[in-house]
Amino acid sequence: MSEFDFDLFVIGAGSGGVRASRMASQYGAKVAVAEDTYLGGTCVNVGCVPKKLFVYGSHVPEEVEAAAGFGWRVSEPQFDWPTLRDNKTREIQRLNGVYRNILASAGVELIEGRARLLDAHTVEVAGKQYSAERILIATGGWPKIPEIPGREHIISSNEAFYLQEFPRRVLVLGGGYIAVEFAGIFNGLGAETELLYRGPLFLRGFDEEVRRFVAGQVAEKGVKLTFETNLVSVEKLDSGELKATLTDGTERIVDCVMAATGRAPKIEGLGLENTAVTTGRNGAVEVNEDFQTSEPSIYALGDVIGRMELTPVALAEGMALAKSLYLGEPTSVDYENIATAVFCQPNIATVGLTEEQVLERGIRARVYTADFKHMKHTLSGLAERTFMKILVDDASDKVIGCHMVGQDAGEIIQGIAIAIKAGATKSDFDQTIGIHPTAAEEFVTMREPSRVIG
Ligand code: NDP
């Protein structure tokens, strides 16, 4: 009989925590998971899932616009925000139930309430103490809002999912995934939208040619892009409107200011000070390669360790930890060549190195690019263009980076990611016969490099 109540006590029932707890339980461990907010974490409740549903919704006006070119006469579309918002919420509630069932059928005990570490083996939830041989911190992250006057009038993406009224004019602050995705959502759903970014070009870290292409497309779709400008303050006027003052001295009168200025690990009130767990940059819990913190019985994974804040990464980390600890199969996570997508409009998807990373690493590479009008838009009348880029290591012929901006980019790059993970060469791409007519076939028909770098 173990001296502890549980073998593993997981704090946080998000993507990583649920995966780790249910796998550990299936491998024979006695597991509990504590959650105080919502089952499924950020991804299910205020992230990937509702965001993607909104993205689908925001594409509808374009589809209606495109309909005429295909011979359909459609009356002027009318948008009803409460319908979209509430249908989305119903789907999220269904998923919350699915998560509850997943945990129950895996034999994981769900403890509802906010968990606090009392020592290296003890957690307190709602006044009750639980002991565990091992504890896993999987508390995720929370949006950060800049410390500026009037910040109480600024919403984050969390609130954007539940707005009482759909805003007529929106100012989105930030230039990362969330800012660009939400600017597309607000714009697509009919709000006058401006994206404000402090640097010269948004989506820092993505391939520069991709960033420039996306900026052109996003602006073309109607989002006003204001770069090299930040927000100074927000003031609520008697009319209920918001007055935003920018660093260039100009002002905007809007109905909603949303900050998407990054996220911070959720560690407040967690009781880390009662343990030897250390935190690093931006408050991220520090772990070794085995997700073990400096307190040997305490582990951490997912957004709270601030490595790659992506659901599939947290899932992989949760699985690796459960296998290592409870299946006796030491498993690590390979962070190389993880594909990601930004669901802006059009989508960006990418895997492998950017051109800038290739140059930094001193690799001589051939660069293949294609910039074309999707077949659909020959009749749709929409100006949207597609961009594709392949980076090939000249010495080995291996494809080391693939980038796409265009319809279904995420769906297409997922397949390409398998090829890159398997070490495909450009010659493998060339020998692959395309599926015609698709946009994706362009990836296997790019014959002449646009340039050689490095
Ligand atoms: P990011 O860290 O990606 O971007 C934050 C943005 O805000 C950057 O452009 C940054 O500018 C800017 N910024 C930061 N601080 C300030 C400030 N004080 N004033 C003005 N601007 C500021 O964060 P997000 O919130 O967009 O997303 C968080 C993470 O969630 C992402 O990194 C991603 O890993 C994940 N995510 C993934 C999605 C997907 O897979 N599709 C979707 C949404 C989120 P600068 O560049 O100058 O630092």
Side-chain angles (χ1 to χ4, degrees):
M1 191 65 189
S2 162
E3 56 178 303
F4 299 108
D5 299 330
F6 295 100
D7 297 318
L8 179 67
F9 194 104
V10 180
I11 306 178
S15 303
V18 167
R19 180 59 61 94
S21 50
R22 104 179 146 86
M23 301 305 283
S25 182
Q26 278 168 10
Y27 299 147
K30 188 176 180 205
V31 186
V33 58
E35 174 59 58
D36 77 327
T37 318
Y38 23 54
L39 295 179
T42 302
C43 174
V44 167
N45 294 278
V46 285
C48 329
V49 175
K51 178 272 309 286
K52 189 85 188 275
L53 293 174
F54 281 6
V55 168
Y56 285 128
S58 67
H59 274 291
V60 173
E62 267 194 0
E63 292 296 331
V64 173
E65 192 186 334
F70 294 96
W72 291 89
R73 269 194 302 279
V74 183
S75 55
E76 186 68 18
Q78 297 285 319
F79 174 56
D80 182 54
W81 163 249
T83 303
L84 174 62
R85 181 197 59 203
D86 300 345
N87 284 350
K88 172 271 302 171
T89 303
R90 259 192 299 281
E91 171 58 8
I92 301 310
Q93 285 162 350
R94 188 187 70 81
L95 292 173
N96 294 145
V98 168
Y99 269 72
R100 190 175 289 276
N101 291 339
I102 286 175
L103 290 171
S105 58
V108 176
E109 184 172 334
L110 174 64
I111 299 171
E112 292 184 65
R114 196 166 181 82
R116 181 175 158 77
L117 293 159
L118 297 184
D119 61 42
H121 292 282
T122 317
V123 182
E124 186 183 67
V125 188
K128 213 171 154 205
Q129 292 186 11
Y130 303 89
S131 64
E133 185 187 10
R134 295 188 178 103
I135 295 167
L136 172 62
I137 302 171
T139 48
W142 203 251
K144 287 192 298 190
I145 293 192
E147 300 285 341
I148 56 169
R151 70 192 291 276
E152 65 276 15
H153 305 304
I154 303 176
I155 63 161
S156 72
S157 50
N158 284 356
E159 293 76 44
F161 289 111
Y162 291 93
L163 290 173
Q164 212 38 42
E165 274 177 50
F166 188 73
R168 205 162 52 80
R169 299 152 302 180
V170 183
L171 186 62
V172 177
L173 178 67
Y177 280 81
I178 299 181
V180 181
E181 288 179 341
F182 267 90
I185 289 170
F186 281 123
N187 177 59
L189 294 178
E192 207 176 282
T193 308
E194 178 170 358
L195 182 147
L196 195 63
Y197 174 55
R198 63 185 177 183
L201 183 60
F202 60 12
L203 293 166
R204 189 162 61 80
F206 283 80
D207 185 277
E208 191 172 329
E209 209 173 359
V210 165
R211 295 162 69 195
R212 276 190 268 116
F213 186 85
V214 172
Q217 295 291 300
V218 167
E220 211 284 324
K221 286 189 188 283
V223 177
K224 181 175 178 201
L225 297 176
T226 305
F227 294 153
E228 293 192 277
T229 314
N230 211 338
L231 189 59
V232 175
S233 64
V234 178
E235 188 189 331
K236 189 158 191 160
L237 305 176
D238 293 340
S239 59
E241 297 167 299
L242 300 175
K243 184 170 91 176
T245 305
L246 316 191
T247 44
D248 62 5
T250 60
E251 291 172 352
R252 305 285 189 273
I253 304 293
V254 293
D255 308 297
C256 174
V257 178
M258 183 186 122
T261 43
R263 299 172 60 88
K266 205 175 169 189
I267 52 166
E268 209 186 299
L270 196 55
L272 293 183
E273 65 284 2
N274 302 327
T275 69
V277 174
T278 56
T279 56
R281 203 177 54 85
N282 195 27
V285 172
E286 291 178 317
V287 291
N288 63 18
E289 276 176 14
D290 304 319
F291 305 107
Q292 191 173 32
T293 68
S294 12
E295 181 70 70
S297 60
I298 302 184
Y299 295 76
L301 51 73
D303 286 1
V304 79
I305 64 171
R307 277 189 190 163
M308 288 186 95
E309 296 167 42
L310 299 171
T311 289
V313 171
L315 295 176
E317 291 172 346
M319 201 123 76
L321 184 73
K323 277 189 181 170
S324 304
L325 297 181
Y326 300 107
L327 193 63
E329 255 182 39
T331 309
S332 56
V333 175
D334 179 2
Y335 293 94
E336 283 287 303
N337 290 326
I338 292 175
T340 77
V342 186
F343 295 99
C344 52
Q345 298 172 24
N347 295 177
I348 307 170
T350 170
V351 58
L353 302 180
T354 64
E355 183 166 342
E356 294 67 43
Q357 287 168 329
V358 167
L359 286 169
E360 266 165 36
R361 293 181 192 196
I363 301 170
R364 185 179 157 81
R366 303 192 300 275
V367 183
Y368 298 79
T369 55
D371 175 340
F372 58 96
K373 189 175 211 170
H374 193 290
M375 189 181 188
K376 179 177 172 184
H377 300 309
T378 56
L379 294 198
S380 75
L382 300 180
E384 183 177 308
R385 295 189 67 79
T386 298
F387 177 71
M388 289 177 176
K389 178 167 182 174
I390 306 180
L391 294 144
V392 180
D393 179 346
D394 200 39
S396 65
D397 196 43
K398 268 197 181 162
V399 177
I400 49 176
C402 252
H403 309 270
M404 176 173 173
V405 184
Q407 189 178 323
D408 296 325
E411 309 288 345
I412 292 167
I413 290 289
Q414 181 65 86
I416 302 274
I418 301 172
I420 292 194
K421 200 77 189 159
T425 59
K426 179 66 168 64
S427 143
D428 293 324
F429 274 50
D430 294 343
Q431 285 171 41
T432 303
I433 293 176
I435 301 174
H436 188 70
T438 61
E441 71 181 313
E442 197 67 28
F443 271 124
V444 295
T445 52
M446 287 194 237
R447 296 282 177 250
E448 291 304 316
S450 350
R451 57 193 177 274
V452 177
I453 55 167

